[in-house]
Amino acid sequence: MNMGSQHAISCRSLTKTFDGPPVVDRVSFDIAPGSITGFVGANGAGKTTTMRMILGLVTPSSGQALVNGAPYRELAQPRRAVGAVLDGPGAHPGHTARAHLSSLAMAAGLPPSRVGEVLELVGLDGHARRRVGAFSLGMRQRLALAAALLGDPPILLLDEPVNGLDPPGILWMRDLLRRFAAEGRAVLVSSHLLAELAEVAERVLIIDRGRLVADAAMDELLGAARRVVELRCAEPARMAEALRQRGAGVGVDGDLLVIEGVSARQVGEVVAAVGAGPIYALAERGGSFEDAYFQLAGSLTSPGATGTDERSGA
């Protein structure tokens, strides 16, 4: 799988405007071979529009998106260069899985033998003659992935690939993505399942209201994520004052204290020093990808945040 370029995907000041503010606003990033990059954001943040511009399905208002150094529409054999899952399999419900994939392979000039190979790879070889209309949502997702893999592409763009999969299916997808990266493929995957994405992505792009607000290694984001200590006690007001005197930030809700700026061990030391009443619970939480995301992106928490853009499906 020769990538033909230092970067599998390059976006430079990529911008798309329909009516009103830009849906995607001067977004720039590179995707390297042999990596899994997560792409996250709220509905309407611009994820899907960005991926559609990479695939030549939406024309940028300005900027550019390159695949192996060239616009997607200029690729001589696009199915051999990029595999994408954006809108499900796009198969006629009356067609069988094999018939659907065979027609795609024929149109792309790919060998018929590849159909059986991808059906086996995604676990649908036992359902090859079943009509797509009888497929579950998870099976449709597998069929869409099979279609993306027909050309054995070195680049994969996957939008919500675990949607509809059961827990074993999610584990299967996780292992498959890791295998793709180990083979030297570049994988760009979007998902609303942040905890699951944190399991596979080495790097993450966070887009918020059309702008890229983070482009960092997952480990770096997790290390910077805010950690808090939760304390339940009989004398919350007294404990809150003692902790504030030591420089901690404290929020009080009944007998619950949410404390920032100190560790659980330090809170325990303050409890011992103050000699406050009974302690019901003490726990440290945070440092997750969800925490990092909510610190960087405001779309899901800000009043008046918009939902999905009907024109772009972002």
Side-chain angles (χ1 to χ4, degrees):
M1 290 179 290
N2 181 15
M3 299 302 298
S5 175
Q6 180 182 0
H7 301 299
I9 299 171
S10 292
C11 293
R12 291 290 176 269
S13 298
L14 197 60
T15 300
K16 183 61 184 179
T17 301
F18 293 99
D19 298 316
V23 175
V24 176
D25 191 1
R26 295 168 289 177
V27 167
S28 298
F29 60 83
D30 296 310
I31 304 297
S35 66
I36 302 173
T37 301
F39 194 27
V40 298
N43 289 337
K47 300 187 308 297
T48 302
T49 300
T50 299
M51 297 177 87
R52 286 179 174 276
M53 285 192 282
I54 293 171
L55 294 169
L57 300 173
V58 171
T59 302
S61 300
S62 61
Q64 64 177 359
L66 303 178
V67 177
N68 285 342
Y72 181 88
R73 293 175 180 175
E74 296 180 8
L75 298 176
Q77 295 180 303
R79 278 198 176 271
R80 292 185 183 273
V82 184
V85 175
L86 291 187
D87 301 308
H92 190 285
H95 290 173
T96 66
R98 181 175 293 278
H100 170 64
L101 294 175
S102 295
S103 65
L104 295 178
M106 181 180 298
L110 300 171
S113 60
R114 186 61 182 158
V115 172
E117 293 172 2
V118 296
L119 282 169
E120 182 177 0
L121 181 60
V122 303
L124 289 179
D125 45 322
H127 304 277
R129 299 186 182 281
R130 190 174 176 183
R131 298 189 186 279
V132 176
F135 277 14
S136 66
L137 178 57
M139 293 172 70
R140 288 174 180 265
Q141 283 291 92
R142 290 174 183 253
L143 182 59
L145 182 59
L149 295 172
L150 274 172
D152 196 20
I155 302 171
L156 293 168
L157 272 70
L158 309 177
D159 191 9
E160 302 290 347
V162 299
N163 186 31
L165 296 181
D166 57 14
I170 291 174
L171 291 176
W172 165 81
M173 179 65 76
R174 184 190 302 174
D175 291 341
L176 193 63
L177 296 182
R178 287 172 175 160
R179 190 197 319 169
F180 289 155
E183 293 170 351
R185 302 180 204 250
V187 182
L188 178 62
V189 54
S190 78
S191 178
H192 285 113
L193 301 178
L194 302 185
E196 176 57 32
L197 198 58
E199 291 288 333
V200 295
E202 307 147 76
R203 176 170 158 239
V204 64
L205 307 171
I206 299 178
I207 191 169
D208 186 53
R209 300 184 183 95
R211 293 192 173 186
L212 205 63
V213 297
D215 178 354
M218 182 65 77
D219 288 346
E220 179 184 333
L221 284 181
L222 295 180
R226 176 172 59 93
R227 301 188 68 83
V228 299
V229 177
E230 293 183 348
L231 171 69
R232 289 188 182 275
C233 61
E235 300 181 67
R238 184 181 175 194
M239 278 303 306
E241 179 60 26
L243 288 162
R244 288 177 182 133
Q245 289 178 1
R246 288 162 175 79
V250 184
V252 182
D253 182 8
D255 66 349
L256 173 65
L257 276 63
V258 180
I259 309 153
E260 297 182 15
V262 293
S263 67
R265 179 175 179 176
Q266 290 171 315
V267 171
E269 291 171 351
V270 174
V271 170
V274 172
I279 301 301
Y280 307 133
L282 176 63
E284 189 169 356
R285 66 174 181 82
S288 69
F289 183 35
E290 288 94 336
D291 293 307
Y293 172 79
F294 284 116
Q295 289 172 47
L296 291 164
S299 289
L300 296 186
T301 56
S302 297
T306 59
T308 302
D309 189 305
E310 295 179 358
R311 298 154 301 183
S312 64

